[in-house]
Amino acid sequence: GESVGLHLPTLSVQEGDNSIINCAYSNSASDYFIWYKQESGKGPQFIIDIRSNMDKRQGQRVTVLLNKTVKHLSLQIAATQPGDSAVYFCAEIPNTGGFKTIFGAGTRLFVKA
Amino acid sequence: NAGVMQNPRHLVRRRGQEARLRCSPMKGHSHVYWYRQLPEEGLKFMVYLQKENIIDESGMPKERFSAEFPKEGPSILRIQQVVRGDSAAYFCASSPGTGVLEKLFFGSGTQLSVL
């Protein structure tokens, strides 16, 4: 759901390891989920999306898993690289009409060389 | 095809002044969204506009804030009589408006600092 003014949780991984970033979403009626990556000083950038009728989707080095039972979304990054260091946001689009996207609180990923 | 363009990149205002933030969507995109981000926080939805219409302004404060997306020209987010609490990064995003579920394309944001 909407971020509530908390400092970002941080995940620190070694270069080459796999990263798993988790997100709990708020609206069980949401149809569409997206992961965005935000680098310092830039706007969020689309990474991968998944529709509510799926439970897994793979991209290049990234996989998104959706568990609608517990309203949980995760982003897996394989062979994490220094360029993956950023803040990652999950986002949902409720099926209430319109295109409003609601962002989660975000997770900061640090990749150690 | 240029991305979403926001200007200015940085804007400094004194308390009580007006701030005008501009956003030109990607070519062919008819939907514009404004989000606000405080340091170390997520993006908070403010307003969603289509050409000449405000579709959803549920996230925008009722006072001092307004937004428009005219038929010609960029979308404008206007903040009147700014206060220190308005200091934040304001991001604009656009989408084609052709589908039911769409990803957003974001600009680089305007960092507003209120002295």
Side-chain angles (χ1 to χ4, degrees), chain A residues 2-6 105, chain B residues 41:
Chain A
E2 301 280 0
S3 62
V4 291
L6 302 174
Chain B
E41 293 188 12

Side-chain angles (χ1 to χ4, degrees), chain A residues 54-65:
Chain A
M54 304 169 67
D55 52 22
K56 180 179 180 179
R57 188 161 188 225
Q58 287 185 290
Q60 188 178 14
R61 283 204 306 120
V62 294
T63 300
V64 55
L65 299 177

Side-chain angles (χ1 to χ4, degrees), chain A residues 19-100:
Chain A
S19 303
I20 300 177
I21 300 171
N22 296 303
C23 173
Y25 63 90
S26 59
N27 191 334
S28 58
S30 289
D31 279 335
Y32 186 43
F33 303 89
I34 306 174
W35 279 98
Y36 286 91
K37 172 186 180 183
Q38 186 178 27
E39 296 175 282
S40 181
K42 297 182 180 179
Q45 183 178 23
F46 171 89
I47 302 174
I48 191 168
D49 58 1
I50 189 168
R51 294 179 186 262
S52 60
N53 60 354
M54 304 169 67
D55 52 22
K56 180 179 180 179
R57 188 161 188 225
Q58 287 185 290
Q60 188 178 14
R61 283 204 306 120
V62 294
T63 300
V64 55
L65 299 177
L66 173 63
N67 186 330
K68 293 182 288 292
T69 302
V70 294
K71 294 193 285 187
H72 184 268
L73 203 63
S74 69
L75 177 69
Q76 300 178 1
I77 305 174
T80 313
Q81 303 168 0
D84 295 327
S85 294
V87 177
Y88 290 82
F89 294 98
C90 67
E92 60 183 305
I93 299 180
N95 65 351
T96 52
F99 306 101
K100 186 169 77 175

Side-chain angles (χ1 to χ4, degrees), chain B residues 89-115:
Chain B
Y90 292 84
F91 288 96
C92 169
S94 72
S95 68
T98 55
V100 177
L101 301 173
E102 297 186 331
K103 63 187 180 189
L104 303 179
F105 294 83
F106 281 85
S108 295
T110 293
Q111 181 65 51
L112 173 65
S113 298
V114 180
L115 305 179

